[in-house]
């Protein structure tokens, strides 16, 4: 593959951009979209962090994985070849996958996983999206090392709705485990207890100097004075929402989940697993004689153990010729550290998320469904499953940890749901009786009920094509209220309301924002509160919805929607590709 596809922006790419602008002024037609080819070889690679070396499942031997760069309108053909013992599937997080659900990636939902020695070509077109998304493995906990940025540039000739940045830099947050994450989650699922937490957070794969034996593994970003940089932030951490800040610098948020927002300034931001945030960083007008930490650490609302460490990268100004001449003792510069909010700072979280508004301009309108055909009320939260006989379990009071949506803990099928749906073979695979509201209403955020047991099943909701949906997701206090970043595949949704305590169907809808609510693919259900979203079911297929805290997904905080084909030919799911993996 040509290097030009990977680098952003490469000279070749800039040359193309330049030529196209020149021709655009002569021929006003938009430049044609192109097909971009990538090859992902899933291979083992030794990776050393914190002075520990571990054989790691990677794409192309890279950790984090390679960058995908495309333009709005482009078609992507990504050939994934599995050379490892694990089953693999890859999800293109946030891509709408209009009619192309076969390429969405969650194992046993839209496809059987790619088995050892097999390959699959993910084939999809990017329609109506531009910004930062990402890709990751979507089976077990393999996404801990199999992830990377998916950058969608605007169509040629379509500028950003903000001043063109001097340079663009992806910053992808992750978690590093000294032990094999697959062994960690497998053991936890056996014992019913909470899985071990990570040993470090990372920025672009590097834990940074605040960890033991890690100073050499620090992400450094060299900048020039007086320029504007676009940082493409991605939270690929498994189990933690993160606060992020750069010492002595202000960030301007311009985009979340590949949708432009009304710009606002902030010193610190919050980003949940699955979410992306584009920010502008204006560097200081003159070269400062200092370095600046870019740091992240978790926002934690639950009661379990967590990795409370801090990752730091370094923002370094390139020295200008004058400073090199005038400074006699260069290098040993002071380092400034940002002050991050306390680990449980829910008021910061609430205040920050309330600032996110769709840009809602003429060019980028917010098409909020003004009314809805169907309303759903789901609880999301933790619970327990009984310990099987003759076994000792390490969950609460000797049970097994579980998690659920509306008290249904999702059981992974052994066949892919989308195939079962498409070929009319749902019998024995799934049922369409997911409750539209909790079967047993209770005081969701009050004193938890004595019985914390969940039910288990593979239950889905069916929606006719073009149904407009309002969904209230209510956190529960069972085993502790906790913030849950809920991710919906196949759609963006509008976050029309949120609040603390129990959702009040009489009072709360009156305060919904139907004008410029933020549009995204992953939203934090506030700890001990609720969130209301709306979306139009205009994409036929089977669409996974789950908490993006991987431990909660493992415990069953997941479900799926079936969206039926529409009547018109262009409202139907494409036929399955010939190389679709078999179970
Ligand atoms: Cu980023 Cu279903 O996940």
């Amino acid at each position: 593959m040509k290097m030009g596809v990977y680098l952003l922006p490469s000279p070749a790419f800039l040359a193309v951009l330049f030529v196209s602008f020149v021709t655009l002024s002569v021929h006003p037609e938009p430049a044609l979209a192109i097909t971009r080819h990538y090859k992902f070889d899933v291979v083992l690679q030794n990776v050393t962090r914190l002075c520990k070396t571990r054989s790691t499942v990677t794409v192309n031997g890279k950790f984090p994985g390679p960058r995908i760069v495309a333009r709005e309108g482009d078609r992507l053909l990504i050939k994934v070849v599995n050379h490892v013992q694990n089953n693999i599937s890859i999800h293109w997080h946030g891509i709408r996958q209009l009619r192309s659900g076969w390429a969405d990636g969650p194992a046993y939902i839209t496809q059987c996983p790619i088995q050892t020695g097999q390959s699959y070509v993910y084939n999809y077109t990017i329609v109506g999206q531009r910004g930062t998304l990402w890709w990751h493995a979507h089976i077990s906990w393999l996404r801990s090392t199999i992830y990377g940025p998916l950058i969608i540039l605007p169509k040629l000739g379509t500028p950003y709705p903000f001043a063109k940045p001097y340079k663009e830099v992806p910053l992808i947050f992750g978690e590093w485990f000294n032990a094999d994450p697959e062994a960690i989650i497998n053991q936890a699922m056996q014992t019913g207890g909470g899985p071990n937490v990570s040993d470090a957070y990372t920025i672009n794969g590097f834990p940074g100097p605040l960890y033991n034996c890690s100073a050499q593994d620090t992400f450094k970003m060299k900048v020039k004075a007086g320029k504007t940089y676009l940082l493409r932030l991605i939270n690929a951490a498994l189990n933690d929402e993160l606060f992020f800040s750069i010492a002595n610098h202000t960030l301007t948020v311009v985009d979340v989940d590949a949708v432009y927002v009304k710009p606002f300034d902030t010193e610190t931001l919050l980003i949940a697993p699955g979410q992306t945030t584009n920010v502008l960083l204006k560097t200081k007008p003159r070269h400062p004689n200092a370095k600046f930490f870019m740091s992240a650490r978790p926002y934690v609302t639950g009661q379990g153990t967590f990795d409370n460490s801090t990752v730091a990268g370094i923002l370094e100004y390139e020295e200008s010729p004058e400073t090199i001449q005038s400074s006699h003792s260069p290098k040993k510069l002071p380092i400034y550290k940002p002050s991050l909010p306390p680990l449980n700072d829910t008021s910061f979280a609430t205040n920050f998320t309330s600032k996110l508004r769709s840009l809602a301009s003429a060019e980028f309108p917010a098409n909020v469904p003004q009314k809805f055909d169907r309303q759903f009320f789901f609880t999301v939260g933790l619970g327990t499953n009984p310990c099987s006989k003759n076994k000792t379990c390490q969950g609460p009071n000797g049970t097994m940890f579980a998690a659920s949506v509306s008290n249904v803990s999702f059981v992974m099928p052994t066949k892919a749901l989308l195939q079962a749906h498409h070929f009319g073979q749902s019998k024995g695979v799934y049922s369409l009786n997911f409750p539209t509201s909790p079967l047993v209403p209770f005081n969701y955020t009050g004193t938890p009920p004595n019985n914390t047991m969940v039910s288990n099943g593979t239950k889905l909701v069916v929606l006719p094509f073009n149904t407009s949906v309002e969904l209230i997701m209510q956190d529960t206090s069972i085993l502790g209220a906790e913030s849950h970043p809920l991710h919906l595949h196949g759609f963006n949704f509008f976050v029309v309301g949120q609040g603390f305590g129990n959702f009040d169907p009489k009072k709360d809808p009156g305060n919904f924002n139907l004008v410029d609510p933020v549009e995204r693919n992953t939203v934090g259900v506030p700890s001990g509160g609720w969130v209301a979203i709306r979306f139009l079911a205009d994409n036929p297929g089977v669409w996974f919805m789950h908490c993006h805290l991987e431990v909660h997904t493992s415990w069953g905080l997941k479900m799926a929607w079936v969206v039926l084909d529409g009547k018109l030919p262009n409202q139907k799911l494409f036929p399955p590709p010939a190389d679709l993996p078999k179970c």
Side-chain angles (χ1 to χ4, degrees), residues 166-167 169 220-227 229 249 281 283-292 314-327 330-331 333:
Y166 169 67
K167 269 200 175 131
V169 182
K220 294 191 175 127
M221 180 173 153
K222 278 229 164 25
V223 293
K224 286 194 161 67
K227 303 275 187 208
Y229 291 79
H249 288 76
L281 165 71
T283 54
K284 302 194 174 297
R286 312 176 120 248
H287 179 271
N289 282 311
K291 294 180 180 183
F292 305 90
I314 297 176
L315 186 75
E316 238 175 44
Y317 283 73
E318 278 176 15
E319 288 187 66
S320 61
E322 309 96 75
T323 46
I324 293 171
Q325 273 176 13
S326 61
S327 74
K331 286 295 150 210
L333 298 176

Side-chain angles (χ1 to χ4, degrees), residues 497-520:
Q498 66 174 65
F500 289 105
N502 297 342
F503 173 71
D504 182 339
K506 293 208 186 65
K507 290 210 199 88
D508 290 323
N511 299 320
F512 284 0
N513 175 3
L514 302 180
V515 179
D516 62 352
V518 69
E519 178 182 350
R520 58 188 330 168

